[in-house]
């Protein structure tokens, strides 16, 4: 079976600032902010939420299907996906647009400043969730607003369980729209900041939001994650990385772990730990799709990290 991953595809230009942003931003001068950061380290990577999630899921020997809209400059990325054995059958190329472009600057405390040009992803609604028996689960991750709304509705209409993952796309939606998406979804996932914003926009607590889905997952960075399901809260410990190289894409790796657990019917204790370990492995490497491992190696590290097998 396969997971249909709806979301952005992008080229990431990643820059590393060898200092702290806070040392160069004066709080009393935010109304006239004009700063420049010297970034000696720069690289261009394959990215986008859908691409990153698919890459991690493929490492776990599953079959991700990406559904996205991309631009006329997508050929190098398409070649990379082919090398990785990831299908492009539901990726639509729009010749009059660029593929999404992210410009990410990270400081020594892993704070990030990102500028994102959506390009072709603004037209994600030109794709529709296919009626395909091979699709067992889906995810609606950051994408064009209309596309996210329509794809959620299509998953629900087809009876395909899916994760609502608004991520950095959350500011596009008001409280009523967010609640509608929650009610369509089977699962929802946020980081700590997004969960606070979700509560502000909807006026509901995490416990109340969790009543609308089978499970609500909140990631807490180095403090692990919490999974609210069936009236209880499961605490998932963080997996200790061997080194801290680059946080970009860790959330996407985590979400691939959630999909993997759902596809294999693991309970939430195991699913959360799989997701946590994927995030830890990702942060050990620069870029979002440069880490690699075999499933056997992943299982061995899981047992070493958590003291039990899955």
């Amino acid at each position: 079976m396969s997971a249909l991953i709806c979301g952005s595809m992008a080229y990431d230009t990643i820059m590393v600032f060898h200092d702290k942003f806070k040392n160069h931003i004066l709080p009393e001068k935010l109304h006239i902010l004009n700063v420049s950061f010297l970034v000696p380290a720069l690289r261009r990577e394959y990215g986008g939420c859908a691409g990153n999630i698919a890459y991690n899921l493929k490492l776990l020997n599953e079959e991700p299907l990406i559904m996205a809209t991309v631009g006329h400059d997508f050929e190098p990325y398409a070649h990379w996906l082919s090398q990785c054995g990831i299908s492009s059958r539901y990726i639509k190329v729009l010749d009059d647009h660029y593929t999404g472009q992210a410009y990410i600057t990270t400081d020594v405390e892993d704070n990030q400043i990102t500028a994102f040009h959506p390009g072709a992803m603004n037209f994600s609604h030109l794709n529709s969730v296919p009626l395909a028996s091979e699709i067992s689960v889906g995810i609606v991750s950051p994408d064009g607003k209309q596309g996210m709304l329509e794809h959620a509705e299509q998953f629900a209409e087809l009876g395909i369980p899916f994760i609502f993952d608004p991520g950095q796309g959350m500011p596009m939606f008001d409280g009523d729209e967010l609640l509608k998406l929650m009610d369509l979804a089977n699962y929802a996932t946020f980081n700590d900041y997004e969960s606070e914003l979700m509560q502000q926009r909807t006026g509901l607590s995490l416990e109340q939001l969790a009543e609308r889905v089978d499970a609500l997952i909140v990631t807490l960075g180095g403090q692990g994650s919490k999974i609210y399901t069936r009236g209880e809260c499961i605490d998932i410990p963080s997996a200790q990385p061997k080194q801290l190289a680059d946080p970009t894409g860790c959330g996407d790796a985590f979400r691939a772990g959630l999909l993997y657990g759902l596809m294999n019917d693991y309970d939430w204790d195991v699913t959360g730990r799989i997701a946590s370990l994927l995030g830890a492995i990702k942060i050990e490497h620069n870029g979002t799709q440069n880490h690699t491992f075999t499933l056997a190696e992943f299982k061995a590290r899981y047992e070493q990290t958590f003291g039990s097998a899955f």
Side-chain angles (χ1 to χ4, degrees):
M1 302 300 287
S2 301
L4 187 69
I5 302 168
C6 304
S8 62
M9 299 291 285
Y11 291 108
D12 291 342
T13 299
I14 301 172
M15 296 155 280
V16 179
F17 177 51
H18 295 165
D19 200 341
K20 303 174 183 178
F21 292 141
K22 66 184 181 183
N23 291 340
H24 300 265
I25 297 175
L26 302 175
E28 69 274 14
K29 298 293 184 181
L30 287 177
H31 63 292
I32 53 170
L33 185 65
N34 187 353
V35 294
S36 177
F37 301 111
L38 178 65
V39 287
L42 181 149
R43 64 189 186 276
R44 197 166 191 241
E45 307 279 3
Y46 301 117
C49 295
N52 296 340
I53 294 169
Y55 179 81
N56 284 278
L57 196 56
K58 186 66 179 181
L59 290 177
L60 294 170
N61 287 356
E62 295 295 347
E63 291 301 320
L65 296 171
I66 298 170
M67 193 172 83
T69 45
V70 298
H72 57 76
D73 56 344
F74 189 66
E75 185 176 352
Y77 205 151
H79 180 67
W80 168 247
L81 292 177
S82 178
Q83 285 184 307
C84 295
I86 298 173
S87 173
S88 298
R89 81 183 75 165
Y90 298 121
I91 297 177
K92 183 184 289 291
V93 177
L94 304 178
D95 291 330
D96 294 333
H97 300 276
Y98 286 101
T99 301
Q101 312 278 331
Y103 299 88
I104 304 164
T105 305
T106 302
D107 75 359
V108 294
E109 292 185 322
D110 289 336
N111 297 304
Q112 292 185 328
I113 297 174
T114 301
F116 186 73
H117 170 66
M121 69 174 280
N122 276 333
F123 303 92
S124 61
H125 55 279
L126 298 180
N127 269 333
S128 296
V129 175
L131 179 58
S133 58
E134 64 186 319
I135 299 172
S136 61
V137 67
I139 184 169
V140 174
S141 59
D143 213 345
K145 178 179 179 179
Q146 185 178 346
M148 291 179 71
L149 290 166
E150 292 184 9
H151 297 156
E153 292 173 346
Q154 292 159 8
F155 273 127
E157 289 170 1
L158 293 171
I160 300 172
F162 76 96
I163 300 171
F164 172 47
D165 169 32
Q168 293 179 331
M170 186 178 290
M172 296 188 296
F173 302 98
D174 62 28
D176 290 339
E177 290 169 328
L178 289 168
L179 288 178
K180 177 182 178 181
L181 288 162
M182 286 284 292
D183 290 340
L184 291 169
N186 302 83
Y187 320 98
T189 183
F190 313 105
N191 65 25
D192 194 20
Y193 174 80
E194 293 157 2
S195 71
E196 292 292 336
L197 184 58
M198 186 75 180
Q199 292 174 81
Q200 289 179 14
R201 296 222 165 165
T202 64
L204 300 179
S205 67
L206 284 177
E207 290 76 14
Q208 290 172 315
L209 290 168
E211 293 175 357
R212 295 173 175 261
V213 288
D214 294 334
L216 187 153
I217 303 96
V218 179
T219 60
L220 303 169
Q223 285 69 55
S225 58
K226 293 182 179 293
I227 301 177
Y228 299 82
T229 180
R230 296 174 183 163
E232 65 173 326
C233 178
I234 303 171
D235 288 311
I236 303 296
S238 63
Q240 186 66 34
K242 297 176 182 177
Q243 62 179 1
L244 299 176
D246 180 5
T248 311
C250 289
D252 297 329
F254 185 94
R255 281 141 183 79
L258 297 180
L259 287 171
Y260 181 80
L262 291 170
M263 295 172 78
N264 290 278
D265 295 322
Y266 291 124
D267 62 33
W268 284 111
D269 287 280
V270 172
T271 296
R273 284 167 170 77
I274 291 171
S276 179
L277 181 56
L278 271 174
I281 292 172
K282 200 328 288 162
I283 205 171
E284 297 168 353
H285 300 79
N286 289 318
T288 59
Q289 299 178 31
N290 294 323
H291 54 294
T292 186
F293 53 78
T294 66
L295 183 57
E297 289 170 340
F298 183 85
K299 288 186 174 183
R301 183 162 173 183
Y302 180 99
E303 186 169 359
Q304 180 185 25
T305 301
F306 299 113
S308 61
F310 72 88

